[in-house]
Amino acid sequence: MLAVVKEHTGPGFAIKDVPMPVCREDDVIVKVKSVGFCGSDGPILAGTREVPYPLIPGHEFAGDIVEIGTKVRDWKVGDRVSACIVIGCGNCKYCIEGNEPLCDNLIETGIHVDGAFAEYVRVPAKVLVKLRDTTSYDFGAAADPVASAYRTVKRMPLTSKDTVMVLGPGPIGLYATQLLKLRGARKIIVLGADCDRDRLELAKTLGADDVINNSIEDPIKRIREITDGEMLDFVHDCAGAVPLVEIAMNSLKKTGHYYITGLFHQLAPTDLGKVVRSEIDIHGTICYTREEFKECLQLIEDGRIDVTPMITHHYALSDMEKAFEVFMSRQAVKIMLHPEGM
């Protein structure tokens, strides 16, 4: 089968024929129809994030089951499915409590084991979620980034009186904007940089009441103006960028909440004295549970989350080099790849 393979450290990846995955007793083989290019895939292909080599990345996917393991009972060949990235062991304290993203033995598709930048992918049957017959494969592949934002938004003690700022208008930040609108936030602000101009405009159409271009505006001054000096009840950090931490901390009112979805790859300095004096709560979330994934797929299928404007580019899997170039240049919001071609 055709696959995109990260073979070694440093820059570069291969588009090549590799052996088909072998179906194990608890697994299924899925023929990939659509697979999204995630922000975590870029550093893997660029060689700035270490993974087990060789590795086929890709975890935002949907397709058809073509083979099932001998112990699989609830699925059949031909089922249209998507799948969670999170593969919990099922035996540790966190899995038993239904909190598999914190599994002590966590495995993630496309990061620890081969993923969906390929014609076929093997996943455990336990992580599958079925698509409605009317749901497109592109929409099924969108459930993963929605769920990443959803886990965070769901945990917020948000009321209709609260003002929230989303940091980073990438796919997760834009989905967070929609989810916060569904939760009934009084006002939503999205902050980005000059390179995010188009995404900030898109944020306005998806529920943002105000946007801030951090490259040309003083964000704290603008927040003070927007909130009439009251500042923010919540910050939802979908960027994981060190320079934005100080903005987040200085924009929150006393007893404000700082919720973090974006992964930080560098240490961020934080004034913990301010956390104490202002009684600021800081919360982190990672990935999602299978149940949360199912809930997000339903939000998409019911039309409550708008996926269509998010998917801005389509490429055949064989055109990954072009897709990677577009991703790195930030020309796209979400790239969707198709192993069968366009």
Side-chain angles (χ1 to χ4, degrees):
M1 67 173 183
L2 185 70
V4 175
V5 186
K6 183 64 182 177
E7 297 181 300
H8 52 73
T9 60
F13 54 87
I15 305 169
K16 59 190 290 189
D17 284 324
V18 301
M20 283 273 296
V22 176
C23 191
R24 299 172 301 202
E25 60 185 11
D26 294 315
D27 296 339
V28 302
I29 304 297
V30 177
K31 182 177 179 61
V32 179
K33 296 288 190 175
S34 296
V35 53
F37 198 125
C38 176
S40 63
D41 295 320
I44 292 174
L45 295 180
T48 56
R49 178 175 180 175
E50 292 294 316
V51 291
Y53 302 107
L55 178 78
I56 300 171
H59 59 271
E60 301 178 1
F61 73 94
D64 299 331
I65 296 177
V66 295
E67 187 177 352
I68 61 173
T70 56
K71 289 188 175 180
V72 175
R73 296 290 178 265
D74 298 328
W75 300 95
K76 65 181 186 300
V77 170
D79 282 343
R80 305 171 73 252
V81 297
S82 185
C84 309
I85 185 177
V86 174
I87 304 172
C89 69
N91 298 315
C92 71
K93 171 183 182 292
Y94 298 102
C95 284
I96 291 169
E97 292 174 348
N99 203 6
E100 57 266 32
L102 297 181
C103 173
D104 287 333
N105 308 293
L106 179 65
I107 293 173
E108 293 176 300
T109 301
I111 294 176
H112 303 113
V113 295
D114 283 341
F117 284 164
E119 293 183 273
Y120 299 89
V121 61
R122 177 180 67 201
V123 292
K126 67 182 181 181
V127 303
L128 294 175
V129 176
K130 190 171 184 178
L131 306 184
R132 296 177 189 170
D133 291 341
T134 55
T135 301
S136 73
Y137 294 109
D138 285 355
F139 279 25
D144 173 273
V146 176
S148 295
Y150 178 78
R151 181 171 173 84
T152 308
V153 173
K154 187 175 75 169
R155 290 187 171 191
M156 292 180 179
L158 192 68
T159 75
S160 58
K161 298 179 181 179
D162 292 328
T163 298
V164 189
M165 179 168 68
V166 176
L167 300 181
I172 292 178
L174 292 171
Y175 281 131
T177 300
Q178 296 188 59
L179 290 163
L180 289 163
K181 195 75 172 179
L182 284 177
R183 281 289 312 273
R186 175 174 173 265
K187 185 170 287 189
I188 302 166
I189 305 165
V190 177
L191 182 144
D194 215 33
C195 58
D196 298 316
R197 283 180 181 269
D198 291 343
R199 297 180 179 192
L200 290 173
E201 287 302 310
L202 178 56
K204 294 178 184 177
T205 71
L206 296 175
D209 299 286
D210 292 280
V211 298
I212 297 173
N213 183 335
N214 187 41
S215 298
I216 60 176
E217 300 177 276
D218 180 334
I220 305 302
K221 181 180 178 181
R222 282 285 292 124
I223 292 163
R224 190 171 286 113
E225 291 171 353
I226 292 168
T227 64
D228 294 326
E230 293 186 6
M231 308 307 282
L232 303 171
D233 300 283
F234 292 86
V235 169
H236 185 177
D237 190 339
C238 298
V242 170
L244 298 184
V245 174
E246 184 177 359
I247 293 173
M249 295 297 291
N250 288 335
S251 63
L252 285 165
K253 64 175 58 172
K254 294 176 181 178
T255 71
H257 306 267
Y258 184 14
Y259 276 76
I260 304 170
T261 302
L263 284 172
F264 283 82
H265 299 290
Q266 296 174 297
L267 291 177
T270 303
D271 182 0
L272 294 180
K274 181 179 179 65
V275 172
V276 174
R277 288 189 297 272
S278 297
E279 295 191 356
I280 290 172
D281 291 329
I282 301 177
H283 307 260
T285 60
I286 184 71
C287 290
Y288 47 77
T289 65
R290 182 173 177 269
E291 189 58 36
E292 288 165 340
F293 188 94
K294 288 174 63 178
E295 290 167 6
C296 288
L297 181 58
Q298 184 173 337
L299 287 173
I300 294 169
E301 292 178 323
D302 289 346
R304 300 179 71 194
I305 292 295
D306 193 358
V307 170
T308 302
M310 304 288 292
I311 302 172
T312 55
H313 292 70
H314 294 266
Y315 292 98
L317 186 67
S318 56
D319 290 332
M320 176 59 91
E321 289 184 358
K322 176 60 177 176
F324 178 69
E325 178 185 330
V326 170
F327 171 82
M328 295 299 287
S329 66
R330 296 180 65 86
Q331 297 174 46
V333 177
K334 174 61 67 176
I335 296 169
M336 204 63 71
L337 295 134
H338 306 279
E340 292 183 332
M342 300 300 297

